[in-house]
Amino acid sequence: MKALIIGSGGFVGGYLIRELNNHGYEVHATHLPSENIKDNCFRHVLDIMRKDDISKLINEIQPDIVYHLAAQSSVALSWKKPQLTAEINIIGSINLMESLPDNTRLILIGSGEEYGFIRENACPIKESENLNPANIYAVSKVCTGMIGRIYHRAYNKDIVIVRAFNHSGPEQSETFVISDFCKQIAEIEKGCRPPEISTGNLSSKRDFTDVRDIVRAYRLLGEKGISGKTYNVGRGIAVSIEYILNTAMGLSEIPILHRTDPNRLRKSDIPVIEPDVSEILRDTGWKAEIPIEKTVSDTLDYWRKQI
Ligand code: A2R
């Protein structure tokens, strides 16, 4: 099987390259000129805003499956650059769908953010739940998913749509909570900052899955997912941010205090976000296996080596 990963220079890309290599795929991966791919694969430079370049590359490689990871994936940046976010996430995805041969499967990666302001008692959230996105990044992913379903229905394209919930692990940027706490702890251990960790709202509950489980889900959806269907990908068990903090602080080599930073409190925070993951389990047999405590511990070890 030949796989092409579009946008492999980000957090998930390297993990997906390794997952596919370990399962016998011939892996091709695209990256932006400024990015460097260190994993073993065939590398190609590609900007998804250049539609002709996508068609040319797909014609040249003739992949069986395409994983679309390329995105403006920061919610914060989407507030500052809505047009850029819409262009890359929506138009870029259309460019890719336009270039997709009928016999090539596309895995379109969306986000749990698409559900947004959910109804009270909506958890665990099923894929059929109304989408009520709360930021421009989420809107762009809702649009892309809807367009993907249209390309499937109207143009007969083989497209599987994913809504991935929070994922984390070593190498993730510190703008995400697990990486943020672990980096702060590693800095404290090295004496780079006082022994006090600052946090935002600790009571909200989120569904965290290890990135290594996430890429296994993507591979299995490529192999066994039903065309045109949308799948939640997550653990299906939300935990509080406080639990993550206590787990991380429990691994620290020195005692650490905790302080709430008002700048980190969000104006409106949804109390619990937890997906129903029975569809992916039914169709592929996938469920998350790596305990959250291991994700935290590996992420802390990663930051200890970086600092
Ligand atoms: O923004 P950069 O310079 O980090 O590059 C990102 C890249 N990218 C593009 N690739 C091709 N053409 C473009 N016009 C373009 N603009 C941005 O896509 C980055 O290397 C990659 C996405 O990686 P991350 O931002 O690290 O996302 P992550 O965590 O790997 O998530 C993969 C997918 C995304 O669609 C997320 O929205 C979704 O999973 O959750």
Side-chain angles (χ1 to χ4, degrees), residues 108-143:
L108 210 49
I109 310 295
S111 167
E113 283 275 334
E114 293 174 44
Y115 295 104
F117 294 116
I118 49 174
R119 293 176 298 120
E120 223 178 292
N121 306 324
C123 290
I125 310 166
K126 291 190 85 65
E127 287 86 350
S128 54
E129 181 64 28
N130 281 343
L131 303 175
N132 197 2
N135 58 65
I136 288 155
Y137 164 76
V139 170
S140 74
K141 290 288 181 175
V142 169
C143 265

PDB file of all heavy atoms in Angstrom, residues 108-143:
ATOM      1  N   LEU A 108      -9.771  12.633   5.987  1.00  0.00           N
ATOM      2  CA  LEU A 108      -9.872  14.071   6.227  1.00  0.00           C
ATOM      3  C   LEU A 108      -9.897  14.296   7.738  1.00  0.00           C
ATOM      4  O   LEU A 108     -10.811  13.830   8.412  1.00  0.00           O
ATOM      5  CB  LEU A 108     -11.191  14.524   5.600  1.00  0.00           C
ATOM      6  CG  LEU A 108     -11.342  15.926   5.062  1.00  0.00           C
ATOM      7  CD1 LEU A 108     -10.210  16.331   4.153  1.00  0.00           C
ATOM      8  CD2 LEU A 108     -12.667  16.017   4.310  1.00  0.00           C
ATOM      9  N   ILE A 109      -8.886  14.998   8.249  1.00  0.00           N
ATOM     10  CA  ILE A 109      -8.776  15.118   9.709  1.00  0.00           C
ATOM     11  C   ILE A 109      -9.451  16.402  10.196  1.00  0.00           C
ATOM     12  O   ILE A 109      -8.969  17.513   9.941  1.00  0.00           O
ATOM     13  CB  ILE A 109      -7.296  15.101  10.166  1.00  0.00           C
ATOM     14  CG1 ILE A 109      -6.535  13.913   9.556  1.00  0.00           C
ATOM     15  CG2 ILE A 109      -7.229  15.094  11.699  1.00  0.00           C
ATOM     16  CD1 ILE A 109      -6.996  12.544   9.990  1.00  0.00           C
ATOM     17  N   GLY A 110     -10.563  16.235  10.897  1.00  0.00           N
ATOM     18  CA  GLY A 110     -11.246  17.343  11.538  1.00  0.00           C
ATOM     19  C   GLY A 110     -10.992  17.307  13.033  1.00  0.00           C
ATOM     20  O   GLY A 110     -10.021  16.684  13.494  1.00  0.00           O
ATOM     21  N   SER A 111     -11.867  17.932  13.787  1.00  0.00           N
ATOM     22  CA  SER A 111     -11.556  18.138  15.200  1.00  0.00           C
ATOM     23  C   SER A 111     -12.796  18.026  16.084  1.00  0.00           C
ATOM     24  O   SER A 111     -13.907  18.384  15.670  1.00  0.00           O
ATOM     25  CB  SER A 111     -10.964  19.546  15.337  1.00  0.00           C
ATOM     26  OG  SER A 111     -10.919  19.935  16.678  1.00  0.00           O
ATOM     27  N   GLY A 112     -12.573  17.590  17.319  1.00  0.00           N
ATOM     28  CA  GLY A 112     -13.635  17.594  18.325  1.00  0.00           C
ATOM     29  C   GLY A 112     -14.135  19.008  18.608  1.00  0.00           C
ATOM     30  O   GLY A 112     -15.253  19.200  19.091  1.00  0.00           O
ATOM     31  N   GLU A 113     -13.297  20.005  18.267  1.00  0.00           N
ATOM     32  CA  GLU A 113     -13.690  21.419  18.421  1.00  0.00           C
ATOM     33  C   GLU A 113     -14.949  21.741  17.616  1.00  0.00           C
ATOM     34  O   GLU A 113     -15.624  22.726  17.874  1.00  0.00           O
ATOM     35  CB  GLU A 113     -12.571  22.328  17.910  1.00  0.00           C
ATOM     36  CG  GLU A 113     -11.385  22.479  18.828  1.00  0.00           C
ATOM     37  CD  GLU A 113     -11.599  23.563  19.866  1.00  0.00           C
ATOM     38  OE1 GLU A 113     -12.380  24.486  19.628  1.00  0.00           O
ATOM     39  OE2 GLU A 113     -10.981  23.448  20.933  1.00  0.00           O
ATOM     40  N   GLU A 114     -15.239  20.924  16.610  1.00  0.00           N
ATOM     41  CA  GLU A 114     -16.387  21.210  15.739  1.00  0.00           C
ATOM     42  C   GLU A 114     -17.714  21.203  16.510  1.00  0.00           C
ATOM     43  O   GLU A 114     -18.650  21.882  16.139  1.00  0.00           O
ATOM     44  CB  GLU A 114     -16.455  20.185  14.594  1.00  0.00           C
ATOM     45  CG  GLU A 114     -15.305  20.319  13.629  1.00  0.00           C
ATOM     46  CD  GLU A 114     -15.292  19.218  12.585  1.00  0.00           C
ATOM     47  OE1 GLU A 114     -16.355  18.892  12.028  1.00  0.00           O
ATOM     48  OE2 GLU A 114     -14.202  18.660  12.334  1.00  0.00           O
ATOM     49  N   TYR A 115     -17.792  20.423  17.594  1.00  0.00           N
ATOM     50  CA  TYR A 115     -19.058  20.367  18.361  1.00  0.00           C
ATOM     51  C   TYR A 115     -19.299  21.674  19.121  1.00  0.00           C
ATOM     52  O   TYR A 115     -20.422  22.076  19.327  1.00  0.00           O
ATOM     53  CB  TYR A 115     -19.048  19.175  19.324  1.00  0.00           C
ATOM     54  CG  TYR A 115     -19.010  17.852  18.595  1.00  0.00           C
ATOM     55  CD1 TYR A 115     -17.832  17.111  18.517  1.00  0.00           C
ATOM     56  CD2 TYR A 115     -20.141  17.369  17.945  1.00  0.00           C
ATOM     57  CE1 TYR A 115     -17.788  15.907  17.828  1.00  0.00           C
ATOM     58  CE2 TYR A 115     -20.101  16.162  17.247  1.00  0.00           C
ATOM     59  CZ  TYR A 115     -18.925  15.437  17.191  1.00  0.00           C
ATOM     60  OH  TYR A 115     -18.883  14.260  16.498  1.00  0.00           O
ATOM     61  N   GLY A 116     -18.226  22.311  19.568  1.00  0.00           N
ATOM     62  CA  GLY A 116     -18.306  23.636  20.172  1.00  0.00           C
ATOM     63  C   GLY A 116     -19.167  23.706  21.419  1.00  0.00           C
ATOM     64  O   GLY A 116     -19.033  22.886  22.322  1.00  0.00           O
ATOM     65  N   PHE A 117     -20.068  24.694  21.440  1.00  0.00           N
ATOM     66  CA  PHE A 117     -20.948  24.874  22.608  1.00  0.00           C
ATOM     67  C   PHE A 117     -21.987  23.759  22.593  1.00  0.00           C
ATOM     68  O   PHE A 117     -23.034  23.875  21.953  1.00  0.00           O
ATOM     69  CB  PHE A 117     -21.639  26.240  22.550  1.00  0.00           C
ATOM     70  CG  PHE A 117     -20.685  27.394  22.682  1.00  0.00           C
ATOM     71  CD1 PHE A 117     -20.515  28.290  21.635  1.00  0.00           C
ATOM     72  CD2 PHE A 117     -19.945  27.583  23.841  1.00  0.00           C
ATOM     73  CE1 PHE A 117     -19.635  29.350  21.742  1.00  0.00           C
ATOM     74  CE2 PHE A 117     -19.055  28.646  23.961  1.00  0.00           C
ATOM     75  CZ  PHE A 117     -18.903  29.527  22.908  1.00  0.00           C
ATOM     76  N   ILE A 118     -21.707  22.688  23.309  1.00  0.00           N
ATOM     77  CA  ILE A 118     -22.614  21.541  23.252  1.00  0.00           C
ATOM     78  C   ILE A 118     -23.782  21.710  24.221  1.00  0.00           C
ATOM     79  O   ILE A 118     -23.687  22.459  25.194  1.00  0.00           O
ATOM     80  CB  ILE A 118     -21.867  20.221  23.551  1.00  0.00           C
ATOM     81  CG1 ILE A 118     -21.015  20.365  24.820  1.00  0.00           C
ATOM     82  CG2 ILE A 118     -21.065  19.761  22.364  1.00  0.00           C
ATOM     83  CD1 ILE A 118     -20.374  19.094  25.273  1.00  0.00           C
ATOM     84  N   ARG A 119     -24.882  21.011  23.962  1.00  0.00           N
ATOM     85  CA  ARG A 119     -26.039  21.021  24.860  1.00  0.00           C
ATOM     86  C   ARG A 119     -25.631  20.421  26.195  1.00  0.00           C
ATOM     87  O   ARG A 119     -24.756  19.558  26.249  1.00  0.00           O
ATOM     88  CB  ARG A 119     -27.153  20.097  24.329  1.00  0.00           C
ATOM     89  CG  ARG A 119     -27.821  20.489  23.082  1.00  0.00           C
ATOM     90  CD  ARG A 119     -28.801  19.395  22.678  1.00  0.00           C
ATOM     91  NE  ARG A 119     -28.159  18.116  22.419  1.00  0.00           N
ATOM     92  CZ  ARG A 119     -28.407  16.984  23.062  1.00  0.00           C
ATOM     93  NH1 ARG A 119     -29.290  16.929  24.048  1.00  0.00           N
ATOM     94  NH2 ARG A 119     -27.787  15.863  22.753  1.00  0.00           N
ATOM     95  N   GLU A 120     -26.305  20.835  27.245  1.00  0.00           N
ATOM     96  CA  GLU A 120     -26.121  20.179  28.538  1.00  0.00           C
ATOM     97  C   GLU A 120     -26.549  18.723  28.352  1.00  0.00           C
ATOM     98  O   GLU A 120     -27.509  18.458  27.616  1.00  0.00           O
ATOM     99  CB  GLU A 120     -27.042  20.855  29.561  1.00  0.00           C
ATOM    100  CG  GLU A 120     -26.343  21.098  30.899  1.00  0.00           C
ATOM    101  CD  GLU A 120     -27.289  21.810  31.831  1.00  0.00           C
ATOM    102  OE1 GLU A 120     -27.593  22.997  31.523  1.00  0.00           O
ATOM    103  OE2 GLU A 120     -27.720  21.202  32.807  1.00  0.00           O
ATOM    104  N   ASN A 121     -25.885  17.801  28.965  1.00  0.00           N
ATOM    105  CA  ASN A 121     -26.181  16.364  28.836  1.00  0.00           C
ATOM    106  C   ASN A 121     -25.888  15.776  27.454  1.00  0.00           C
ATOM    107  O   ASN A 121     -26.349  14.697  27.142  1.00  0.00           O
ATOM    108  CB  ASN A 121     -27.657  16.044  29.178  1.00  0.00           C
ATOM    109  CG  ASN A 121     -28.050  16.572  30.529  1.00  0.00           C
ATOM    110  OD1 ASN A 121     -27.225  16.556  31.446  1.00  0.00           O
ATOM    111  ND2 ASN A 121     -29.262  17.060  30.656  1.00  0.00           N
ATOM    112  N   ALA A 122     -25.141  16.499  26.613  1.00  0.00           N
ATOM    113  CA  ALA A 122     -24.825  15.951  25.275  1.00  0.00           C
ATOM    114  C   ALA A 122     -23.717  14.898  25.350  1.00  0.00           C
ATOM    115  O   ALA A 122     -23.556  14.106  24.433  1.00  0.00           O
ATOM    116  CB  ALA A 122     -24.405  17.066  24.329  1.00  0.00           C
ATOM    117  N   CYS A 123     -22.943  14.899  26.465  1.00  0.00           N
ATOM    118  CA  CYS A 123     -21.835  13.937  26.571  1.00  0.00           C
ATOM    119  C   CYS A 123     -22.347  12.572  27.012  1.00  0.00           C
ATOM    120  O   CYS A 123     -23.225  12.508  27.855  1.00  0.00           O
ATOM    121  CB  CYS A 123     -20.797  14.423  27.584  1.00  0.00           C
ATOM    122  SG  CYS A 123     -19.892  15.842  26.983  1.00  0.00           S
ATOM    123  N   PRO A 124     -21.811  11.473  26.513  1.00  0.00           N
ATOM    124  CA  PRO A 124     -20.800  11.430  25.472  1.00  0.00           C
ATOM    125  C   PRO A 124     -21.371  11.833  24.110  1.00  0.00           C
ATOM    126  O   PRO A 124     -22.466  11.398  23.741  1.00  0.00           O
ATOM    127  CB  PRO A 124     -20.360   9.960  25.473  1.00  0.00           C
ATOM    128  CG  PRO A 124     -21.484   9.199  26.091  1.00  0.00           C
ATOM    129  CD  PRO A 124     -22.192  10.126  27.017  1.00  0.00           C
ATOM    130  N   ILE A 125     -20.613  12.667  23.391  1.00  0.00           N
ATOM    131  CA  ILE A 125     -21.095  13.293  22.159  1.00  0.00           C
ATOM    132  C   ILE A 125     -21.038  12.310  20.992  1.00  0.00           C
ATOM    133  O   ILE A 125     -19.973  11.809  20.638  1.00  0.00           O
ATOM    134  CB  ILE A 125     -20.207  14.510  21.790  1.00  0.00           C
ATOM    135  CG1 ILE A 125     -20.025  15.447  22.990  1.00  0.00           C
ATOM    136  CG2 ILE A 125     -20.783  15.261  20.605  1.00  0.00           C
ATOM    137  CD1 ILE A 125     -18.905  16.459  22.808  1.00  0.00           C
ATOM    138  N   LYS A 126     -22.190  12.072  20.396  1.00  0.00           N
ATOM    139  CA  LYS A 126     -22.227  11.187  19.213  1.00  0.00           C
ATOM    140  C   LYS A 126     -21.946  12.018  17.958  1.00  0.00           C
ATOM    141  O   LYS A 126     -22.146  13.236  17.968  1.00  0.00           O
ATOM    142  CB  LYS A 126     -23.614  10.536  19.096  1.00  0.00           C
ATOM    143  CG  LYS A 126     -23.896   9.529  20.193  1.00  0.00           C
ATOM    144  CD  LYS A 126     -25.156   8.733  19.904  1.00  0.00           C
ATOM    145  CE  LYS A 126     -24.894   7.549  19.016  1.00  0.00           C
ATOM    146  NZ  LYS A 126     -24.018   6.522  19.611  1.00  0.00           N
ATOM    147  N   GLU A 127     -21.544  11.342  16.904  1.00  0.00           N
ATOM    148  CA  GLU A 127     -21.221  12.032  15.650  1.00  0.00           C
ATOM    149  C   GLU A 127     -22.441  12.760  15.090  1.00  0.00           C
ATOM    150  O   GLU A 127     -22.310  13.717  14.332  1.00  0.00           O
ATOM    151  CB  GLU A 127     -20.693  11.041  14.602  1.00  0.00           C
ATOM    152  CG  GLU A 127     -19.283  10.516  14.861  1.00  0.00           C
ATOM    153  CD  GLU A 127     -19.225   9.303  15.781  1.00  0.00           C
ATOM    154  OE1 GLU A 127     -20.267   8.958  16.396  1.00  0.00           O
ATOM    155  OE2 GLU A 127     -18.153   8.685  15.900  1.00  0.00           O
ATOM    156  N   SER A 128     -23.646  12.298  15.470  1.00  0.00           N
ATOM    157  CA  SER A 128     -24.869  12.922  14.949  1.00  0.00           C
ATOM    158  C   SER A 128     -25.244  14.197  15.712  1.00  0.00           C
ATOM    159  O   SER A 128     -26.190  14.885  15.341  1.00  0.00           O
ATOM    160  CB  SER A 128     -26.023  11.922  15.062  1.00  0.00           C
ATOM    161  OG  SER A 128     -26.105  11.463  16.408  1.00  0.00           O
ATOM    162  N   GLU A 129     -24.504  14.533  16.761  1.00  0.00           N
ATOM    163  CA  GLU A 129     -24.800  15.726  17.562  1.00  0.00           C
ATOM    164  C   GLU A 129     -24.696  16.989  16.679  1.00  0.00           C
ATOM    165  O   GLU A 129     -23.868  17.047  15.759  1.00  0.00           O
ATOM    166  CB  GLU A 129     -23.788  15.814  18.721  1.00  0.00           C
ATOM    167  CG  GLU A 129     -23.962  16.976  19.667  1.00  0.00           C
ATOM    168  CD  GLU A 129     -25.275  16.951  20.453  1.00  0.00           C
ATOM    169  OE1 GLU A 129     -25.820  15.857  20.699  1.00  0.00           O
ATOM    170  OE2 GLU A 129     -25.761  18.044  20.793  1.00  0.00           O
ATOM    171  N   ASN A 130     -25.522  17.991  16.998  1.00  0.00           N
ATOM    172  CA  ASN A 130     -25.438  19.259  16.255  1.00  0.00           C
ATOM    173  C   ASN A 130     -24.067  19.882  16.428  1.00  0.00           C
ATOM    174  O   ASN A 130     -23.489  19.811  17.517  1.00  0.00           O
ATOM    175  CB  ASN A 130     -26.464  20.257  16.804  1.00  0.00           C
ATOM    176  CG  ASN A 130     -27.839  19.966  16.286  1.00  0.00           C
ATOM    177  OD1 ASN A 130     -27.993  19.242  15.291  1.00  0.00           O
ATOM    178  ND2 ASN A 130     -28.842  20.499  16.962  1.00  0.00           N
ATOM    179  N   LEU A 131     -23.597  20.517  15.371  1.00  0.00           N
ATOM    180  CA  LEU A 131     -22.300  21.205  15.456  1.00  0.00           C
ATOM    181  C   LEU A 131     -22.556  22.677  15.749  1.00  0.00           C
ATOM    182  O   LEU A 131     -23.370  23.315  15.084  1.00  0.00           O
ATOM    183  CB  LEU A 131     -21.547  21.046  14.134  1.00  0.00           C
ATOM    184  CG  LEU A 131     -21.307  19.593  13.703  1.00  0.00           C
ATOM    185  CD1 LEU A 131     -20.658  19.533  12.322  1.00  0.00           C
ATOM    186  CD2 LEU A 131     -20.442  18.861  14.726  1.00  0.00           C
ATOM    187  N   ASN A 132     -21.876  23.167  16.779  1.00  0.00           N
ATOM    188  CA  ASN A 132     -22.093  24.550  17.187  1.00  0.00           C
ATOM    189  C   ASN A 132     -20.736  25.191  17.470  1.00  0.00           C
ATOM    190  O   ASN A 132     -20.431  25.576  18.600  1.00  0.00           O
ATOM    191  CB  ASN A 132     -22.975  24.531  18.451  1.00  0.00           C
ATOM    192  CG  ASN A 132     -23.599  25.864  18.737  1.00  0.00           C
ATOM    193  OD1 ASN A 132     -23.419  26.813  17.969  1.00  0.00           O
ATOM    194  ND2 ASN A 132     -24.302  25.960  19.850  1.00  0.00           N
ATOM    195  N   PRO A 133     -19.880  25.295  16.435  1.00  0.00           N
ATOM    196  CA  PRO A 133     -18.475  25.665  16.644  1.00  0.00           C
ATOM    197  C   PRO A 133     -18.321  27.043  17.281  1.00  0.00           C
ATOM    198  O   PRO A 133     -19.084  27.958  16.986  1.00  0.00           O
ATOM    199  CB  PRO A 133     -17.891  25.654  15.225  1.00  0.00           C
ATOM    200  CG  PRO A 133     -19.053  25.755  14.308  1.00  0.00           C
ATOM    201  CD  PRO A 133     -20.199  25.109  15.005  1.00  0.00           C
ATOM    202  N   ALA A 134     -17.313  27.160  18.144  1.00  0.00           N
ATOM    203  CA  ALA A 134     -17.163  28.371  18.945  1.00  0.00           C
ATOM    204  C   ALA A 134     -15.979  29.221  18.505  1.00  0.00           C
ATOM    205  O   ALA A 134     -15.704  30.255  19.097  1.00  0.00           O
ATOM    206  CB  ALA A 134     -16.998  27.975  20.412  1.00  0.00           C
ATOM    207  N   ASN A 135     -15.261  28.804  17.490  1.00  0.00           N
ATOM    208  CA  ASN A 135     -14.148  29.628  17.009  1.00  0.00           C
ATOM    209  C   ASN A 135     -13.944  29.372  15.510  1.00  0.00           C
ATOM    210  O   ASN A 135     -14.533  28.444  14.942  1.00  0.00           O
ATOM    211  CB  ASN A 135     -12.867  29.342  17.812  1.00  0.00           C
ATOM    212  CG  ASN A 135     -12.486  27.881  17.736  1.00  0.00           C
ATOM    213  OD1 ASN A 135     -12.163  27.372  16.667  1.00  0.00           O
ATOM    214  ND2 ASN A 135     -12.544  27.191  18.875  1.00  0.00           N
ATOM    215  N   ILE A 136     -13.100  30.204  14.910  1.00  0.00           N
ATOM    216  CA  ILE A 136     -12.981  30.179  13.447  1.00  0.00           C
ATOM    217  C   ILE A 136     -12.260  28.914  12.970  1.00  0.00           C
ATOM    218  O   ILE A 136     -12.596  28.351  11.925  1.00  0.00           O
ATOM    219  CB  ILE A 136     -12.307  31.481  12.972  1.00  0.00           C
ATOM    220  CG1 ILE A 136     -13.348  32.595  13.152  1.00  0.00           C
ATOM    221  CG2 ILE A 136     -11.833  31.412  11.535  1.00  0.00           C
ATOM    222  CD1 ILE A 136     -12.808  33.954  13.324  1.00  0.00           C
ATOM    223  N   TYR A 137     -11.314  28.451  13.760  1.00  0.00           N
ATOM    224  CA  TYR A 137     -10.646  27.180  13.408  1.00  0.00           C
ATOM    225  C   TYR A 137     -11.702  26.077  13.303  1.00  0.00           C
ATOM    226  O   TYR A 137     -11.746  25.317  12.331  1.00  0.00           O
ATOM    227  CB  TYR A 137      -9.595  26.823  14.470  1.00  0.00           C
ATOM    228  CG  TYR A 137      -9.157  25.382  14.405  1.00  0.00           C
ATOM    229  CD1 TYR A 137      -8.278  24.947  13.418  1.00  0.00           C
ATOM    230  CD2 TYR A 137      -9.650  24.443  15.316  1.00  0.00           C
ATOM    231  CE1 TYR A 137      -7.898  23.617  13.343  1.00  0.00           C
ATOM    232  CE2 TYR A 137      -9.273  23.110  15.254  1.00  0.00           C
ATOM    233  CZ  TYR A 137      -8.395  22.701  14.265  1.00  0.00           C
ATOM    234  OH  TYR A 137      -8.028  21.379  14.189  1.00  0.00           O
ATOM    235  N   ALA A 138     -12.581  26.003  14.331  1.00  0.00           N
ATOM    236  CA  ALA A 138     -13.603  24.949  14.368  1.00  0.00           C
ATOM    237  C   ALA A 138     -14.564  25.078  13.187  1.00  0.00           C
ATOM    238  O   ALA A 138     -14.932  24.081  12.555  1.00  0.00           O
ATOM    239  CB  ALA A 138     -14.355  25.010  15.696  1.00  0.00           C
ATOM    240  N   VAL A 139     -14.952  26.328  12.876  1.00  0.00           N
ATOM    241  CA  VAL A 139     -15.845  26.544  11.726  1.00  0.00           C
ATOM    242  C   VAL A 139     -15.183  26.035  10.448  1.00  0.00           C
ATOM    243  O   VAL A 139     -15.812  25.383   9.610  1.00  0.00           O
ATOM    244  CB  VAL A 139     -16.198  28.047  11.580  1.00  0.00           C
ATOM    245  CG1 VAL A 139     -16.913  28.318  10.262  1.00  0.00           C
ATOM    246  CG2 VAL A 139     -17.064  28.509  12.745  1.00  0.00           C
ATOM    247  N   SER A 140     -13.887  26.311  10.316  1.00  0.00           N
ATOM    248  CA  SER A 140     -13.192  25.884   9.089  1.00  0.00           C
ATOM    249  C   SER A 140     -13.195  24.363   8.976  1.00  0.00           C
ATOM    250  O   SER A 140     -13.308  23.812   7.879  1.00  0.00           O
ATOM    251  CB  SER A 140     -11.761  26.446   9.052  1.00  0.00           C
ATOM    252  OG  SER A 140     -10.918  25.758   9.957  1.00  0.00           O
ATOM    253  N   LYS A 141     -13.088  23.676  10.119  1.00  0.00           N
ATOM    254  CA  LYS A 141     -13.077  22.209  10.085  1.00  0.00           C
ATOM    255  C   LYS A 141     -14.494  21.659   9.831  1.00  0.00           C
ATOM    256  O   LYS A 141     -14.652  20.639   9.160  1.00  0.00           O
ATOM    257  CB  LYS A 141     -12.504  21.656  11.393  1.00  0.00           C
ATOM    258  CG  LYS A 141     -11.002  21.896  11.548  1.00  0.00           C
ATOM    259  CD  LYS A 141     -10.215  20.997  10.604  1.00  0.00           C
ATOM    260  CE  LYS A 141      -8.721  21.162  10.722  1.00  0.00           C
ATOM    261  NZ  LYS A 141      -7.952  20.229   9.904  1.00  0.00           N
ATOM    262  N   VAL A 142     -15.519  22.337  10.368  1.00  0.00           N
ATOM    263  CA  VAL A 142     -16.904  21.933  10.079  1.00  0.00           C
ATOM    264  C   VAL A 142     -17.147  22.018   8.577  1.00  0.00           C
ATOM    265  O   VAL A 142     -17.661  21.083   7.945  1.00  0.00           O
ATOM    266  CB  VAL A 142     -17.918  22.836  10.835  1.00  0.00           C
ATOM    267  CG1 VAL A 142     -19.340  22.591  10.340  1.00  0.00           C
ATOM    268  CG2 VAL A 142     -17.838  22.620  12.337  1.00  0.00           C
ATOM    269  N   CYS A 143     -16.754  23.160   7.993  1.00  0.00           N
ATOM    270  CA  CYS A 143     -16.944  23.375   6.543  1.00  0.00           C
ATOM    271  C   CYS A 143     -16.244  22.292   5.746  1.00  0.00           C
ATOM    272  O   CYS A 143     -16.823  21.723   4.811  1.00  0.00           O
ATOM    273  CB  CYS A 143     -16.281  24.682   6.135  1.00  0.00           C
ATOM    274  SG  CYS A 143     -17.356  26.027   6.115  1.00  0.00           S
TER     275      CYS A 143
END
